[in-house]
Amino acid sequence: LQVEKLEKNMAKLTIEVPADDLEKALQSAYMKQKNKIAMPGFRKGKVPRQMIEKMYGPEIFYDDAANALIPKAYSEAYEECELEIVSRPEINVVQIEKGKSFIFTNDVRPYIFYCYTKKDSTLEKNAVLFLYSYGSIFPFSRTLQSMA
């Protein structure tokens, strides 16, 4: 896991999954799809994985493998990175290739600080709506040093 701080309170997570985990996910994707694939000379569901990859290309199982790996790897990275992530994940696959590690990135928006002094209900309502959309609300008693 690599965490890169970007401008405007953004961060970029680069997450790497080992090659053997990718291979397991590719095998699982093959097992899931093999009953749907028919090839001349083979009964339905009995086509070897190597034949399917030779005919359709090795990337035929990449989508299912990535969809299986990303949620677990992302949740582990979330726990490890110590950021309060408030945005939806926007996953960008950097590398997915048989025999190599699976690498993807995610641009995230961490927390936003705000405070106000007057009890203006319009200001408070707008600030709360904004922060629920784009940030996290922290009590004012929390110090900025504890958040850094």
Side-chain angles (χ1 to χ4, degrees):
L1 171 70
Q2 294 176 355
V3 180
E4 180 183 338
K5 302 274 182 174
L6 303 174
E7 59 188 38
K8 295 185 181 180
N9 208 24
M10 299 282 289
K12 181 179 182 178
L13 303 178
T14 302
I15 303 164
E16 185 172 345
V17 178
D20 58 332
D21 289 349
L22 176 61
E23 183 56 38
K24 289 176 189 174
L26 288 170
Q27 183 64 25
S28 175
Y30 161 70
M31 296 300 285
K32 182 179 170 184
Q33 291 183 16
K34 74 177 187 175
N35 292 330
K36 301 173 189 169
I37 298 173
M39 253 183 172
F42 293 95
R43 289 181 288 158
K44 194 171 187 176
K46 301 296 182 183
V47 183
R49 178 176 156 192
Q50 291 77 17
M51 292 291 292
I52 296 169
E53 288 177 345
K54 188 175 183 179
M55 184 167 194
Y56 297 108
E59 59 277 348
I60 188 168
F61 301 118
Y62 287 173
D63 283 344
D64 285 342
N67 288 335
L69 289 173
I70 287 173
K72 182 181 177 201
Y74 183 75
S75 65
E76 289 173 359
Y78 174 77
E79 295 294 324
E80 190 178 321
C81 76
E82 299 175 357
L83 289 175
E84 292 287 333
I85 299 171
V86 297
S87 61
R88 279 191 209 144
E90 294 178 21
I91 305 296
N92 300 312
V93 175
V94 175
Q95 173 181 300
I96 184 166
E97 194 174 329
K98 191 175 177 180
K100 294 185 179 178
S101 59
F102 171 48
I103 302 171
F104 63 97
T105 62
N106 180 27
D107 294 334
V108 295
R109 184 178 299 125
Y111 48 80
I112 296 173
F113 293 104
Y114 89 104
C115 66
Y116 59 95
T117 54
K118 295 183 179 181
K119 283 287 187 180
D120 183 1
S121 62
T122 307
L123 175 66
E124 182 178 356
K125 187 187 298 183
N126 289 340
V128 169
L129 289 173
F130 174 78
L131 289 170
Y132 277 127
S133 299
Y134 298 105
S136 293
I137 299 175
F138 296 110
F140 186 67
S141 61
R142 258 175 126 167
T143 63
L144 293 178
Q145 289 179 342
S146 68
M147 298 304 296

